[in-house]
Amino acid sequence: MLSIKNLHASVEDTPILKGINLEIPAGEVHSIMGPNGSGKSTLARVLAGEESYEVTDGSVTFNGVDLLDMDPDVRAREGLFMAFQYPVEIPGVSTKYFLRAAVNAVREHRGLDELDAYEFLKEVKEKAEVLDLDTSLLDRSVNEGFSGGEKKRAEIFQMAMLDPSMCVLDETDSGLDIDALKIVSDGVNALRNEKRSFLVITHYQRLLNYIVPDRVHVLMDGQIVESGDRDLGMKLEEQGYAGVEHPCGADA
Amino acid sequence: MSSTTMSDARPFQDDFDALDASSPLADLRREALDRFHELGWPTTRSEAWRYTNLRPLTASDLALAPEATVDASVIEPYLIEDAQVHRIVFVNGRFDDGLSDIGSLPAGVTVGHLADALKGNADAVMSHLGSTFDWKADALDALNMAFIEDGLYIHVPANTQLEQPVHVLHVTVTDPAAAVVTHPRTLIVVEDGSRATCIESCFGTGDDTCLVNPVTEIIAGHGAHVDHYREVREGQETWHLGTLGVTQGNDGQVNSCCLALDGKVIRNAMTGTMEGTDAMANFRGLAWGTADRHIDNFLRVNHMKPDCNSREYFKYILDDASTATFTGRIYVEQDAQKTDAVQTNRNLLLNEKARVYTRPQLEIFADDVKCTHGATIGRLDEDARFYLEARGIGREAANSLLIFAFANEVIEDIAFEALRSRLETILLDRLPDGGMFR
């Protein structure tokens, strides 16, 4: 599904990612954990195609195609979805209109018919229910005035609507209380299937109690320093990131 | 029709002499024309016209637009669909009975033309004309006054709701052979405890140079509620130099929104005066600059009595080599304690060649007031654009959606649903891939 090889990326000439290798097969949930500043969010944003991150080396293929060669909107239409750590508030843009345009852009790309207003609303209702999302939020401007929990739920809701094959969750748990965390996790788990893959980026193991990963990778200073199964997350919780050997030998 | 240039001793004198000298307005008109000649065309040396240069206009041969008729198909694109309105049409400043459809009105309400109203009740009408701002201070206002022949007159007596909006269409028939001038005049008198909505749509039949010089006055009584919109969709070579005067009594609310969408130069000189206490005034504007269009909002809000709120919210979208200016003065009289006034001018610059000059001015003589002003000048938000792109929306469509969003903040609160949705459509139709978001 997603194959990252020797990925290097910089922001304003400062190297952040320093050779990441990662394979995520179809249907698997991988988690990336790491301390602040390790490059977790940079990885998410490079995958989504944000311009201010410059890829200096390496490759990413998505379903066999060069991902880095695509514009961000094409990546999304090809089935890559990033749930933002900080969803952007866009005053004046109705969530409903925005989302219908997005859904139809994606559908057109995949050779599907446009959803008309009725079909779209039917779909909205179904998907919103799973996430316990108040559909009146959709009449508001995109993310504007949403609570932290509402924003994160809205991200997962968008994910459900866009039906991606590769989902990148960038610290979706940050700022969520335990109830909201459960709702968001249930929403994600409802979307798990043998074709869809997830990359769950988080600082805390807590999220992984709800979204149980197949693999856990530890990112430090722009490199994956350890990979393992779910137990690796538990170990990190007990010992902290200091318990993981630093690739450069420095005492973190 | 005769033509007039600046080299003539008395510009517009021949046009003026052709007007009906027996009109009750004859003296006022003569005084106004004298005043126009005294002042001469405004120049950029005057504060009010500092950023709007009329010379390219006044250098052409200008002449009062002759009587004209237009086909129903000309006004059709400007009609508001799916809404019942009292429609009144003026062509070159003159009432067009055939195109108007005023319909039935509540008892006591007048929606008609000034020429008619003057025959019936000249004193009452004349007491309001020119009462809402100092028309003698500005040459164009004086010129409009000098050429009042006809216009829209709305009168809503006390405690009366005019449920259906009045839609007035000001059509200018442009002429490739001459730069015509029209002076549309609108007088809206809404007495105590009453309510009315009026939409003005200004447009032309072609892209020949012309001057449209409209003056609208709104007199809102105690507890009156008036919604007013002016939609400027003139020809591409039209100089639309409009004036709006508003006075309001106690406790009422006046909302006015100026939508500057098409024209070569679009000016909106507005004076709002809150003569009573506890009133609310809401002045909004949206301007769209493309090519070398110039936009000028020149606003003055006068707080004369305590406990009034005023809001000014003006947004400009400036593309290509368009230019714009915003001058907003808030004046607070010594007696006007607890005034709450907020003024905002936000600008979205889409091209490096576009320019905006924004000038907030506060003149405050009371000591217990809240007056704030803010101006921003920015470009499209890249974070927001990336967010949209990351959802599968292409770059151009994402830009369009953000421009629409910027504009929509002005129009989304428009209470008259059919107008709001029409404006949405107009905006989206102008934006690349805008149709995606309908």
Side-chain angles (χ1 to χ4, degrees):
Chain A
M1 169 76 57
L2 190 74
S3 170
I4 302 174
K5 292 205 169 81
N6 190 33
L7 183 66
H8 286 70
S10 302
V11 180
E12 289 171 351
D13 294 332
T14 306
I16 309 283
L17 302 183
K18 300 168 182 173
I20 291 193
N21 292 289
L22 184 63
E23 293 285 333
I24 304 179
E28 288 194 7
V29 175
H30 286 223
S31 174
I32 288 204
M33 300 182 69
N36 289 332
S38 56
K40 299 188 301 288
S41 282
T42 299
L43 177 61
R45 294 193 151 239
V46 166
L47 293 177
E50 190 169 327
E51 273 175 357
S52 50
Y53 296 81
E54 192 197 350
V55 174
T56 51
D57 202 2
S59 68
V60 181
T61 50
F62 176 44
N63 291 328
V65 187
D66 181 1
L67 182 77
L68 301 177
D69 199 34
M70 297 177 208
D71 286 334
D73 54 311
V74 180
R75 297 181 195 198
R77 296 200 285 258
E78 284 283 333
L80 181 117
F81 182 96
M82 178 182 74
F84 281 61
Q85 182 181 3
Y86 302 109
V88 183
E89 297 196 9
I90 314 180
V93 175
S94 129
T95 306
K96 206 177 270 170
Y97 283 50
F98 147 67
L99 196 55
R100 188 149 81 94
V103 165
N104 282 331
V106 165
R107 290 179 66 91
E108 193 191 344
H109 188 76
R110 296 176 190 166
L112 300 169
D113 287 341
E114 268 195 15
L115 290 185
D116 64 27
Y118 173 77
E119 294 164 327
F120 174 74
L121 285 179
K122 198 171 143 233
E123 185 113 357
V124 161
K125 247 185 158 168
E126 285 171 18
K127 307 255 150 99
E129 214 159 294
V130 178
L131 283 155
D132 193 24
L133 190 77
D134 179 0
T135 49
S136 73
L137 283 180
L138 303 178
D139 294 323
R140 307 230 303 257
S141 293
V142 177
N143 294 319
E144 195 188 28
F146 289 22
S147 71
E150 285 170 340
K151 279 183 185 163
K152 297 301 175 78
R153 266 186 283 164
E155 289 291 287
I156 304 305
F157 168 70
Q158 288 182 24
M159 188 168 92
M161 290 295 295
L162 293 177
D163 192 23
S165 54
M166 177 75 231
C167 308
V168 180
L169 309 186
D170 186 8
E171 303 210 21
T172 293
D173 52 331
S174 69
L176 291 187
D177 62 28
I178 197 76
D179 293 335
L181 187 66
K182 267 179 146 163
I183 292 167
V184 165
S185 305
D186 287 349
V188 171
N189 287 330
L191 293 171
R192 284 177 78 157
N193 62 36
E194 71 281 2
K195 287 189 192 141
R196 185 176 284 136
S197 310
F198 290 82
L199 180 60
V200 179
I201 292 171
T202 181
H203 190 88
Y204 300 104
Q205 131 76 20
R206 186 181 69 157
L207 178 65
L208 307 183
N209 292 333
Y210 299 97
I211 305 174
V212 179
D214 297 299
R215 298 285 292 165
V216 174
H217 311 277
V218 182
L219 186 68
M220 291 185 83
D221 194 26
Q223 291 186 324
I224 290 175
V225 295
E226 197 171 344
S227 297
D229 60 15
R230 202 190 153 192
D231 295 341
L232 179 57
M234 310 282 193
K235 186 179 119 192
L236 284 173
E237 185 165 62
E238 284 163 26
Q239 303 178 0
Y241 290 107
V244 180
E245 196 187 325
H246 196 275
C248 305
D251 196 356
Chain B
M1 179 173 68
S2 64
S3 103
T4 308
T5 69
M6 285 303 283
S7 55
D8 289 353
R10 294 276 287 180
F12 300 112
Q13 187 65 51
D14 294 347
D15 286 333
F16 184 85
D17 292 340
L19 298 178
D20 172 17
S22 68
S23 159
L25 293 173
D27 289 345
L28 179 64
R29 284 204 301 233
R30 186 163 297 110
E31 185 192 352
L33 188 69
D34 287 346
R35 185 62 187 152
F36 169 73
H37 288 134
E38 216 168 86
L39 292 166
W41 290 108
T43 71
T44 51
R45 286 189 300 276
S46 80
E47 195 54 25
W49 291 87
R50 194 163 146 201
Y51 294 107
T52 300
N53 183 7
L54 296 186
R55 192 155 305 171
L57 172 73
T58 57
S60 26
D61 288 341
L62 292 165
L64 192 67
E67 270 191 61
T69 53
V70 293
D71 215 63
S73 62
V74 169
I75 65 163
E76 222 229 279
Y78 300 90
L79 302 179
I80 299 168
E81 285 171 22
D82 307 321
Q84 296 288 314
V85 295
H86 304 289
R87 181 172 79 233
I88 184 159
V89 181
F90 293 87
V91 180
N92 282 357
R94 297 161 187 94
F95 175 63
D96 188 315
D97 202 1
L99 295 175
S100 300
D101 180 9
I102 296 173
S104 66
L105 295 162
V109 172
T110 306
V111 173
H113 52 121
L114 268 175
D116 235 17
L118 282 164
K119 281 178 213 151
N121 195 355
D123 287 349
V125 173
M126 285 177 62
S127 71
H128 292 303
L129 278 177
S131 68
T132 59
F133 63 98
D134 181 11
W135 64 268
K136 288 176 191 167
D138 185 88
L140 280 123
D141 293 336
L143 195 60
N144 178 292
M145 191 69 105
F147 284 95
I148 296 180
E149 272 185 280
D150 208 347
L152 168 63
Y153 178 57
I154 300 176
H155 180 254
V156 184
N159 303 314
T160 306
Q161 313 291 306
L162 182 55
E163 302 282 353
Q164 283 181 23
V166 177
H167 185 203
V168 52
L169 296 97
H170 292 296
V171 191
T172 300
V173 180
T174 66
D175 180 352
V180 299
V181 183
T182 63
H183 302 285
R185 187 88 189 193
T186 301
L187 181 60
I188 302 170
V189 182
V190 180
E191 308 272 12
D192 299 354
S194 295
R195 189 176 181 122
T197 299
C198 177
I199 301 116
E200 297 186 64
S201 297
C202 304
F203 57 94
T205 56
D207 290 330
D208 312 299
T209 297
C210 65
L211 165 61
V212 177
N213 181 33
V215 173
T216 296
E217 295 188 82
I218 298 171
I219 293 109
H222 302 312
H225 185 120
V226 182
D227 288 321
H228 168 256
Y229 308 92
R230 185 186 278 165
E231 189 188 42
V232 181
R233 295 166 70 185
E234 305 277 16
Q236 298 309 320
E237 292 299 324
T238 298
W239 296 63
H240 177 104
L241 307 174
T243 292
L244 171 68
V246 179
T247 59
Q248 46 187 142
N250 302 331
D251 299 314
Q253 179 163 351
V254 172
N255 304 316
S256 175
C257 182
C258 178
L259 302 146
L261 300 174
D262 286 302
K264 182 179 181 62
V265 174
I266 304 170
R267 179 172 157 99
N268 169 39
M270 191 220 61
T271 306
T273 304
M274 312 183 80
E275 294 176 339
T277 61
D278 299 291
M280 172 81 201
N282 231 316
F283 300 114
R284 296 185 149 225
L286 175 68
W288 191 301
T290 58
D292 62 349
R293 180 172 303 144
H294 178 71
I295 288 143
D296 178 353
N297 278 289
F298 187 80
L299 315 169
R300 183 184 174 107
V301 174
N302 297 316
H303 283 262
M304 311 305 284
K305 287 276 157 50
D307 300 311
C308 289
N309 293 346
S310 68
R311 297 287 179 270
E312 290 165 271
Y313 192 63
F314 284 75
K315 296 187 101 172
Y316 294 175
I317 301 161
L318 300 172
D319 203 351
D320 303 326
S322 60
T323 54
T325 165
F326 175 89
T327 309
R329 174 165 301 208
I330 299 171
Y331 172 87
V332 182
E333 182 74 64
Q334 197 170 1
D335 189 29
Q337 301 295 1
K338 306 279 183 200
T339 287
D340 182 345
V342 180
Q343 178 192 83
T344 309
N345 169 227
R346 296 203 190 291
N347 300 285
L348 181 60
L349 263 59
L350 300 176
N351 193 301
E352 283 174 13
K353 289 188 202 132
R355 292 276 177 277
V356 62
Y357 306 88
T358 180
R359 296 189 296 171
Q361 298 168 341
L362 302 179
E363 218 178 317
I364 301 171
F365 296 97
D367 52 19
D368 183 13
V369 302
K370 216 161 72 185
C371 290
T372 60
H373 61 79
T376 58
I377 298 174
R379 298 178 189 280
L380 287 175
D381 179 351
E382 285 177 13
D383 290 339
R385 182 169 68 195
F386 176 63
Y387 186 82
L388 298 173
E389 289 180 296
R391 298 297 176 252
I393 294 171
R395 168 70 51 107
E396 195 150 37
N399 285 341
S400 292
L401 186 54
L402 292 175
I403 295 167
F404 174 74
F406 179 85
N408 197 34
E409 278 191 289
V410 175
I411 61 171
E412 68 188 349
D413 291 336
I414 289 178
F416 181 29
E417 171 67 26
L419 178 66
R420 194 187 54 71
S421 94
R422 168 194 25 213
L423 288 166
E424 253 182 44
T425 304
I426 290 173
L427 295 178
L428 287 173
D429 281 352
R430 287 173 180 223
L431 292 162
D433 292 333
M436 272 178 83
F437 306 108
R438 284 166 66 181

